[in-house]
Amino acid sequence: MDTADYGKLFDLTGKNAVVVGGGSGIGRACAHGLAAYGATVTVADRDLAGAQETVSMAAGSTTMQARELDVLDDDQVAAAVADLPDTDVLVFTAATNVRKRILDYSPDEFDRVIALNLRSSFALVQGFGRGMVERGRGSIIGFASMRANVVEPGQSVYAATKSGLVQLLRTAAAEFGPSGVRANAIAPGVVDTPLTAQIKANQGWYDAYAAKGALGRWAEPKELAGAAVYLASDAASFVTGSVLYVDGGWTAVDGRFEPPN
């Protein structure tokens, strides 16, 4: 690459992005990040009002639009794929968690977590991935979790779905790669979002999570946007089938004991 091009490594001008789950939290931050680097962004969410708020927060941007999308509705997913045939970047964040120990889990709870976290992810990768393969370009970015790698009591089904998502994206990388399509996962640590409200409400739990990571704090959603911009851009043109941990050092630090000097 000519050195004159390095300044454009993260430029997304001319790229069409879809952010599923963009109505709040990490998805909202990713939508704003992609738009800031020039992408035209469709903010898709089951909560249309939330998606519209994401658009309205972008200071009059004309490169963002809101769309209602329930990823559990196969017809809605198919319609979104058909209506957005030139999608270059797919980011999806939608997920749920039922924090219960294995012996307390009900079949309905199991099915609910699997359906949103894994089955809908497959539908998005398959639907949007097909068009990307046909056009010979694209970047698929799914939000997994550090729980794909490390667990704790009460995280069984959630962790299984996130580990499954990583393997789904790695397989997509293998199958779509010859056509010029990349697929990667981002694995956040503890982030202050609606999904973690239960933890935040318990001060002891909140503080313990903050202390576990190397940085000693939780992340804000905006701190995940850079990872999405990177994986969407030409800066990551040779990055596929990988997991980018944005976890404040959680998975690098083993335990909380501070040895004496």
Side-chain angles (χ1 to χ4, degrees):
M1 177 180 290
D2 189 286
T3 55
D5 294 327
Y6 288 138
K8 298 181 180 180
L9 277 176
F10 296 93
D11 185 8
L12 299 175
T13 301
K15 302 286 188 182
N16 297 308
V18 176
V19 179
V20 180
S24 65
I26 294 171
R28 172 173 287 173
C30 289
H32 288 159
L34 294 169
Y37 279 85
T40 297
V41 182
T42 297
V43 182
D45 202 293
R46 182 179 63 179
D47 177 11
L48 179 58
Q52 291 170 333
E53 183 179 10
T54 297
V55 173
S56 69
M57 291 169 65
S61 172
T62 59
T63 62
M64 299 181 73
Q65 63 176 347
R67 181 188 181 99
E68 184 175 6
L69 175 60
D70 182 351
V71 293
L72 295 175
D73 186 320
D74 292 339
D75 291 338
Q76 286 194 29
V77 172
V81 170
D83 292 345
L84 302 165
D86 297 321
T87 298
D88 301 297
V89 178
L90 170 68
V91 178
F92 55 95
T93 68
T96 191
N97 191 4
V98 176
R99 296 176 183 276
K100 285 187 177 181
R101 292 174 182 259
I102 291 172
L103 299 183
D104 298 325
Y105 239 87
S106 72
D108 286 343
E109 289 166 338
F110 179 92
D111 290 344
R112 175 154 54 92
V113 177
I114 293 290
L116 182 57
N117 295 9
L118 197 54
R119 184 184 183 280
S120 69
S121 297
F122 181 86
L124 291 169
V125 170
Q126 183 184 59
F128 284 97
R130 191 183 308 278
M132 291 180 180
V133 167
E134 291 173 354
R135 293 190 305 278
R137 67 179 189 276
S139 175
I140 298 171
I141 304 163
F143 271 80
S145 168
M146 65 182 181
R147 296 302 178 204
N149 183 40
V150 293
V151 300
E152 66 181 4
Q155 296 277 22
S156 62
V157 184
Y158 179 81
T161 62
K162 292 305 184 177
S163 181
L165 175 58
V166 167
Q167 296 301 83
L168 171 64
L169 290 167
R170 284 173 169 163
T171 306
E175 294 181 0
F176 301 169
S179 298
V181 179
R182 298 182 294 108
N184 293 284
I186 296 173
V190 287
V191 186
D192 188 355
T193 70
L195 188 64
T196 54
Q198 178 185 2
I199 300 170
K200 188 177 180 181
N202 183 314
Q203 192 63 47
W205 201 354
Y206 180 89
D207 292 344
Y209 269 30
K212 174 62 176 71
L215 299 180
R217 63 178 178 84
W218 288 43
E220 297 179 40
K222 66 182 181 181
E223 295 180 285
L224 278 297
V229 170
Y230 166 66
L231 291 173
S233 73
D234 287 344
S237 60
F238 202 61
V239 179
T240 194
S242 63
V243 183
L244 176 54
Y245 282 89
V246 188
D247 64 358
W250 182 294
T251 53
V253 178
D254 182 18
R256 301 190 185 95
F257 177 65
E258 196 68 35
N261 293 326

